[in-house]
Amino acid sequence: MYWSLELASHLEDAPWPATKEELIDYAVRTGSPAEVVENLREIEDEGDIYDSIEDIWPDYPTKEDFFFNDEEY
């Protein structure tokens, strides 16, 4: 399973919180790339409910990752 910002962007408007099956259904209905559906199917699911993409992709970049901080340099 691999995620990219482009693939994850297809789930931005998903009906959070959602189960794995609801996310797969959403991805199929909205015409997301096959990789998104495949990644969702690979999730080991125990009936969990996911609140956001961060629950699925723990390394999902946050807004802070994209902002340059002058004080750090």
Side-chain angles (χ1 to χ4, degrees), residues 2-70:
Y2 72 94
W3 287 99
S4 68
L5 287 176
E6 180 182 353
L7 293 177
S9 70
H10 292 278
L11 296 176
E12 286 178 353
D13 295 327
W16 303 104
T19 63
K20 173 183 170 181
E21 294 306 317
E22 290 171 334
L23 291 172
I24 291 170
D25 181 58
Y26 173 82
V28 170
R29 284 187 294 111
T30 59
S32 297
E35 292 90 351
V36 173
V37 177
E38 290 172 20
N39 285 346
L40 291 170
R41 286 189 176 136
E42 289 180 19
I43 295 172
E44 291 184 22
D45 185 35
E46 296 176 7
D48 296 335
I49 295 178
Y50 303 98
D51 292 318
S52 66
I53 188 68
E54 288 89 356
D55 290 344
I56 296 170
W57 182 23
D59 295 330
Y60 182 74
T62 62
K63 290 182 181 178
E64 290 82 30
D65 294 333
F66 293 104
F67 289 111
F68 182 76
N69 186 351
D70 290 332

